[in-house]
Amino acid sequence: MIKDVGFFVITRRCLMDRYEKHDNYVPGCVSPALLSEVTKTMTMKDPVPNVGWLMFDHPCTVREARCLQQDGVLPKVTLVLMPTPPYAPPADDPRTPYRNFFQQDFEGLKFAYEASLKEVHIDKDDDPDKIAIKCFNAINTCTAGLQGPRQGLHVVGAPGVYRVLLIGPRGAGSRTQAVTLAKHFGLIYLNFAVLLAEAREKMDEIGEKLRSYGPSVQLKADIVKRRLLKKDCIDNGWVMTGYPLSGMDFEHLDNMTTPPNRVIFLNTDIATCKTRVMSQAVDWCTGQSAAPGSGPRVMHHPDNNEAQLDAELDYYHSEALAELRAAAGLTAVEINASEPIASTSEDPGCGNVCPGIRHRILFTVTKRTS
């Protein structure tokens, strides 16, 4: 199997040899964090990032698995080779039978990697060639299988976990569509403006730099990277709006360990964007969005300054859009989002969603990529 796919092989023994030569190695002690650091160094060394890697006998514990996930060492497919489960008769005792430490760690690892997990059942009569075929079939099935943990929607060619990027100017409806996608696929919705505000309030190094110098390209990338490496995004996938804002931002995002695997541009002309944004109103008492003129407390949204909006839309259409298209490449998909946004009762609570645009986005996310 290794010979056929051409992956770089990483074994537990190979890792331990390098681990014991590390400057911080303590004899007789296996540090999951330090072992994860050694593993990440191996996966980032040429030519491993280009050809891919196949790792076995590692990790051995849930703690090691979590350290690898936090460091961004994430497998596309996780295979569990195990005997075919027997058809067991009903048990007299409904309680879980006794399990040794190895069995407990094994079950914990299956839980840690449930988002990319596929079980390969091996029979005692299977020869190595047949086992290899089963492994290949499992890899193909995982590539075409679940959209996140415990979800059974089967779409041929779709990724195992969706990581969706919606790009569009203000007024294109990217936030509304992102909320719909998050609800439909069980994804984590990420709004960069919210992430930036939260990071500015934190008493850490990033927060101090934001308060002192403002958001730089590297700081914005660090904020996004920190959020994407959290467990909920790794297990469930995510849909993000508001970032990247330029071609350089996109390059930083694409070089992260969990880059987007679906990039969708919502194309809207300047006049439509401006009409949508300037028609937004808010109830000054509750802070909730409201239709203009719907009540005495409803006022024009204070953040929608016409001169500032004109400058933002002009910059996006004249400079940023071309950079983002070039950075995204040919795999990005563009959708016309200029259609009137009509209210629909199919998704109560999701706001105003245009069914035509929504269906095209759902199809784009789930379709096969070449």
Side-chain angles (χ1 to χ4, degrees), residues 79-350:
L79 299 184
V80 177
L81 276 61
M82 56 185 295
T84 303
Y87 291 98
D92 297 331
D93 189 349
R95 293 174 295 182
T96 302
Y98 170 79
R99 294 180 297 178
N100 58 35
F101 286 109
F102 171 78
Q103 292 171 326
Q104 294 179 33
D105 283 333
F106 185 70
E107 293 299 322
L109 288 171
K110 290 170 66 176
F111 177 77
Y113 290 106
E114 62 178 347
S116 59
L117 186 71
K118 284 296 176 184
E119 293 183 351
V120 180
H121 294 163
I122 307 299
D123 298 322
K124 61 180 181 180
D125 298 331
D126 290 347
D127 56 31
D129 291 337
K130 189 171 183 180
I131 295 176
I133 292 174
K134 288 185 176 182
C135 291
F136 278 122
N137 291 338
I139 293 174
N140 292 331
T141 303
C142 194
T143 304
L146 306 183
Q147 280 69 56
R150 299 178 296 280
Q151 297 184 23
L153 180 62
H154 180 85
V155 183
V156 176
V161 176
Y162 291 141
R163 300 190 293 270
V164 186
L165 197 59
L166 288 183
I167 300 176
R170 286 181 64 187
S174 56
R175 295 183 185 179
T176 303
Q177 304 298 347
V179 171
T180 305
L181 278 178
K183 179 181 178 181
H184 186 87
F185 291 114
L187 307 176
I188 305 300
Y189 169 53
L190 304 176
N191 184 345
F192 179 71
V194 176
L195 298 181
L196 183 62
E198 292 176 350
R200 187 178 283 111
E201 297 298 324
K202 290 185 177 180
M203 303 303 295
D204 56 9
E205 183 181 358
I206 294 179
E208 291 291 339
K209 291 182 178 179
L210 283 174
R211 289 188 292 270
S212 301
Y213 309 108
S216 64
V217 173
Q218 186 60 53
L219 276 179
K220 290 188 290 185
D222 291 341
I223 293 170
V224 173
K225 181 179 180 180
R226 179 171 63 181
R227 184 62 184 90
L228 296 186
L229 287 179
K230 290 193 175 180
K231 184 178 182 300
D232 56 349
C233 288
I234 292 173
D235 289 347
N236 300 284
W238 47 265
V239 53
M240 182 163 58
T241 61
Y243 184 87
L245 302 175
S246 65
M248 189 173 295
D249 286 342
F250 195 102
E251 291 179 6
H252 278 80
L253 179 62
D254 205 34
N255 289 328
M256 294 180 188
T257 51
T258 54
N261 49 32
R262 290 291 184 269
V263 180
I264 302 174
F265 285 90
L266 299 181
N267 292 334
T268 315
D269 59 86
I270 294 180
T272 301
C273 291
K274 188 173 180 179
T275 300
R276 290 177 180 174
V277 174
M278 298 307 297
S279 64
Q280 295 174 355
V282 63
D283 188 318
W284 61 265
C285 185
T286 63
Q288 300 295 320
S289 299
S294 59
R297 300 182 306 187
V298 177
M299 59 178 290
H300 181 72
H301 200 291
D303 293 338
N304 297 337
N305 180 277
E306 186 172 1
Q308 181 181 353
L309 178 62
D310 288 338
E312 289 182 15
L313 295 177
D314 181 68
Y315 169 74
Y316 177 84
H317 286 90
S318 62
E319 297 184 32
L321 182 56
E323 292 182 7
L324 291 169
R325 281 173 171 165
L330 298 177
T331 58
V333 176
E334 302 197 13
I335 293 177
N336 180 16
S338 296
E339 300 177 5
I341 298 181
S343 179
T344 175
S345 60
E346 294 184 41
D347 292 303
C350 284

